[in-house]
Every structure is written in structure tokens, then in C-alpha cells.
Amino acid sequence: MKTIILFGLVLGALSAAGKVFFAEVGQKVTMECGAPNFNSKLEWSRDTLIIRLTSKSSLPSKGQSPIAKRSKILNDKDLEISAVMETDFGKFTCNMAGVPHEHVLIVFSVLVPSDALEVGAHATLECRVKSPDDAAKVKWQKLNGLQEYSHKFDLKSADSSHKGIWQCKMSYEQDTFTKNITINVKDPVPVPTTPPLKNKAPNSKNRQNSTASPCGLTSFARPGGSTKNWSKDTVFLGLIWWIWVAIGAGGLVVIILIVVVIVVYKRNKRRKRKFLRMKKGQLSKNPKMYCQCVRQTAAAKPQQGRRREKPSALPLQPLLQE
């Protein structure tokens, strides 16, 4: 009987034993509860409540922590966290029907150059790991290589030997995880080599006045005896000679255009002044003419009907004599 009880306790302890999960920043992770089947109640927490499920048909209720907004239940018991952040690491507890199952979440991020490296360039490989009590161990190692480096390794001078797959190895207690990344290094571009040019023999007729240049062009001797080779590749201040000739010709054309515009402008201005003076003189010689407008006489007003004349007063009769 005691053996059966001890065996049951061992099985219960093994079933409640936690797991270690590794998650990369920005990705999603699914943490298994550890219980075989869903019973009557499920609760995930990390110091505070994350999510709770009372029955299969009920909707899960979430806590107030920031991680709860990015969490959901899968398979009626597992916890999925999306868009993992560096602050999500820690110890999680899955409580199934009163039996706790503790798990650990390790969060990591890898910082490496995304583009191919030039030969001799400087680069840094960094693997950041967040774990409870900073107990996780991190190291860099090249695939199939024997040498190991710390969590931050500086490639001070990249070369072809650094090309290939590098591994960021993380370990927490007895669990390990490996993140592989690829480092590309550009092969150096070979520098073309040109064979030396043979000097041509100078012409016997011009041997006294000219010498042959290495490029096969003739250079005329100055009175003092020095020679100057004018080849197609003659460079002055970083530019070939014919570019300077083109710049000079273009500048000369611009100056000529500016002079022509100024001359035409002054010429037109003089003509305009002369024209205005001539016009002013002609106006002063001609007498001023005023316009006399002929107005029509106003029509006579129609005579109104004759007014009826008042009758004149009767003459006073002399008083009758008595």
C-alpha cells in the first residue's frame, strides 16, 4: 500500500514539474500547462492573474497586467503570448483544478548585422537574454568551431573565415536552446593588373625634336630640353584634361551670352529713349485742338391752352341824381 502511495506521489510530482520555454522578442510563444486534460477550472498567473477559464463553454476572463492583453487560451489549457517583450520573462503558474504547474519563460533577442560585411569591417554579435535571477548562461560559437565567446562578440576585422552560421547558445538549469544566424562577408574584388607597355622606337627624322612616350604618343621637346607627355589619361586636380577643356569652353560660351544680353538690353533702352524724345517733340509743335461739340437746340415747349381771361370789372356808374 505504501508503495502505491509513493508511486502516486512521484507521478504527481513529475506531472507538476515545470518546463522552460524560450521566446524571441517580437515573436509568439505557447506555454503548455502540463495537466493532461481540462477539469473544472484553469488559471494562468505570473505574480498576478493573467487569464482564467471556469468551464469549456464560458468565456475566459483576463487580469489587468500588460501581458494579459496579449494572451489567450489554446487547447483549453495552454497559454499563448503574442508579440513577446523583454519584460515578459519570469515564472508562470498554471493552476488546474487546484494543482499548480510552474514554468519559466526565457526571453532573448539577437542583434547582428543584416547586410553582408565588407572585408576588414567592424561588426558586433550580441545575444541578450532575460531570465529569473539572471541565471541563464549565454555564449556565441561558430558552427563546427571549437572556440566559444561571450554573449557579446566583436568582429574587429571581418574576413572570409567569419562567413557562415553562428550559434547563440542559451542554457537555464538543465534546458538549452540554440539560435542560428548567418554572417555574410563579401569576397574582396581582385584588382586587374595590366602588362607594361613597350616603348616604341622614335622616328629617326624627329629624333632630335621629339621623343616617344610610354603610351605611344609623341612628346615634343622644349627649348630647355624637357619633354611633356600629353596622353589621353593626363589628370589635373582629379579631372582628365579634356574635361577641363570642356569646362573652359562652356564658361566662355556663358560669358559671351551674358555680354550679348547686356548689349541688346542697353541698345533697346537707348532706342526707347530716343523714340520718346521724338514723340514728345512732335506733340510740342502741333497746336492743341479742342473738340467743340455741337449741341442741338432745345425744342420749343408746346403752348398750353389759353387761359380763360377774367372778365374786366364793370365800370362804375355815376350816382343817380336825385
Side-chain angles (χ1 to χ4, degrees), residues 125-252:
L125 308 181
E126 184 175 2
C127 191
R128 298 177 182 177
V129 178
K130 298 292 184 179
S131 63
D133 303 326
D134 294 332
K137 298 180 181 180
V138 190
K139 60 184 178 181
W140 278 103
Q141 185 177 7
K142 194 173 185 296
L143 186 64
N144 299 328
L146 300 177
Q147 189 173 0
E148 295 181 352
Y149 310 93
S150 62
H151 74 285
K152 186 176 182 180
F153 174 61
D154 290 332
L155 295 175
K156 296 182 179 180
S157 181
D159 54 32
S160 58
S161 64
H162 296 139
K163 184 190 303 184
I165 298 176
W166 287 73
Q167 295 178 330
C168 175
K169 295 184 176 181
M170 296 161 275
S171 61
Y172 182 84
E173 295 180 352
Q174 303 300 325
D175 298 271
T176 59
F177 182 81
T178 302
K179 174 67 176 181
N180 295 337
I181 59 101
T182 303
I183 298 296
N184 294 319
V185 180
K186 294 181 180 179
D187 296 328
V189 179
V191 179
T193 57
T194 56
L197 299 177
K198 296 181 180 180
N199 296 332
K200 294 182 179 180
N203 191 356
S204 58
K205 296 182 180 180
N206 298 328
R207 185 174 298 174
Q208 296 179 355
N209 296 329
S210 64
T211 58
S213 64
C215 296
L217 298 178
T218 303
S219 59
F220 295 92
R222 294 183 178 180
S226 62
T227 60
K228 186 175 182 181
N229 297 329
W230 294 93
S231 64
K232 294 182 179 181
D233 297 333
T234 302
V235 178
F236 179 70
L237 294 179
L239 298 177
I240 304 176
W241 65 270
W242 61 267
I243 296 180
W244 285 109
V245 173
I247 293 174
L252 182 61

Side-chain angles (χ1 to χ4, degrees), residues 86-144:
E86 286 188 350
T87 56
D88 293 343
F89 74 95
K91 295 182 179 180
F92 291 74
T93 301
C94 173
N95 196 320
M96 177 76 76
V99 180
H101 303 265
E102 293 185 354
H103 307 288
V104 176
L105 177 63
I106 309 297
V107 178
F108 69 92
S109 60
V110 179
L111 304 177
V112 294
S114 58
D115 299 330
L117 300 176
E118 300 285 347
V119 175
H122 176 267
T124 301
L125 308 181
E126 184 175 2
C127 191
R128 298 177 182 177
V129 178
K130 298 292 184 179
S131 63
D133 303 326
D134 294 332
K137 298 180 181 180
V138 190
K139 60 184 178 181
W140 278 103
Q141 185 177 7
K142 194 173 185 296
L143 186 64
N144 299 328

